[in-house]
Amino acid sequence: MNKPVELIIFDWDGTLFDSVGQIVASLQFAAQQFAQPLTDADAKSIIGLGLPEVAQRLFPSVPELHAAILKSYADHYVANSTGDRWFAGVSEMLHELKDAGLQLAVATGKSRKGLDRVLGQTNSRELFAATRAASETRSKPDPLMLAEILTETGIAAEQAIMVGDTSYDLEMALNIAMPRVGVSYGVHSIATLNQFQPLYIADSVNALRHFLLQQSALREAV
């Protein structure tokens, strides 16, 4: 990175929030309600996309059922995800980064309603300078949500880092020439993440914390 980092943008599910298992379970529930075949691997593979894109990828032959399937998924997820929490160490990491003077943001495939719910669930609204949900912009890997966050915060792409657990996150950042960091404890494999030339791939929240704080230290040294 040629310029010091000023902004860290995080994906939510599988990066900050330990919710992948429940997302898969709720997708499976919805598929079963409408007699649609779905493997756990396929359900997991689309985490990070916006909900319309999820339906198109997983159930392409029944577009007339998409709205009903997504409603079934959302209802099941809300009813069964009240115990979902941040990965251990995430809260401490976010507070440390903010205390170091970095701005934080969220770019997620969730709907705005879903994002607002989990921001409240984690009492974290005040931590983030900007948030974008797929329902109010374009789905990953289109970089529009990142462009909107950059405009809102007044920070250039080269002074931001996108952090995510899927190819969609890293491809989105690549599409806007934003530095990017992968995490391997979420959805996609290290091999998949490496296709998008990340600065680093963290195998734990603690490793991610150390790397991002190093970036903050470099910023202070400039």
Side-chain angles (χ1 to χ4, degrees), residues 162-184:
M162 176 67 209
V163 181
D165 67 312
T166 72
S167 63
Y168 314 122
D169 300 311
L170 302 193
E171 183 179 359
M172 173 176 67
L174 181 63
N175 286 340
I176 202 172
M178 180 182 291
R180 48 216 166 269
V181 168
V183 303
S184 62

Side-chain angles (χ1 to χ4, degrees), residues 19-204:
S19 50
V20 170
Q22 187 55 55
I23 292 171
V24 171
S26 294
L27 284 170
Q28 283 285 19
F29 173 84
Q32 290 165 13
Q33 302 314 296
F34 296 90
Q36 296 301 306
L38 180 63
T39 67
D40 283 354
D42 284 344
K44 189 176 181 181
S45 73
I46 53 70
I47 292 174
L49 296 176
L51 288 177
E53 290 74 22
V54 166
Q56 291 162 15
R57 290 275 190 101
L58 296 183
F59 313 109
S61 65
V62 287
E64 70 280 5
L65 294 179
H66 285 178
I69 291 172
L70 291 178
K71 183 179 186 306
S72 178
Y73 160 76
D75 289 348
H76 188 273
Y77 182 80
V78 170
N80 291 276
S81 64
T82 55
D84 288 351
R85 294 289 182 269
W86 274 332
F87 289 108
V90 162
S91 178
E92 294 83 356
M93 174 183 70
L94 294 176
H95 281 91
E96 283 187 75
L97 292 171
K98 187 165 186 181
D99 289 346
L102 293 167
Q103 292 195 63
L104 309 178
V106 172
T108 179
K110 285 185 173 298
S111 67
R112 170 50 64 179
K113 182 178 179 181
L115 178 58
D116 284 345
R117 184 181 65 254
V118 292
L119 287 170
Q121 191 171 323
T122 54
N123 297 309
S124 61
R125 294 178 194 276
E126 75 286 350
L127 286 173
F128 301 107
T131 61
R132 282 297 182 281
S135 64
E136 60 196 2
T137 182
R138 293 178 189 155
S139 175
K140 303 170 185 178
D142 190 293
L144 181 60
M145 67 172 73
L146 293 184
E148 291 172 348
I149 289 171
L150 294 175
T151 297
E152 184 171 341
T153 57
I155 293 173
E158 62 266 27
Q159 290 183 278
I161 294 175
M162 176 67 209
V163 181
D165 67 312
T166 72
S167 63
Y168 314 122
D169 300 311
L170 302 193
E171 183 179 359
M172 173 176 67
L174 181 63
N175 286 340
I176 202 172
M178 180 182 291
R180 48 216 166 269
V181 168
V183 303
S184 62
Y185 54 80
V187 170
H188 287 167
S189 69
I190 291 173
T192 297
L193 298 174
N194 266 329
Q195 295 176 47
F196 302 95
Q197 300 88 50
L199 298 173
Y200 177 66
I201 297 179
D203 62 5
S204 68

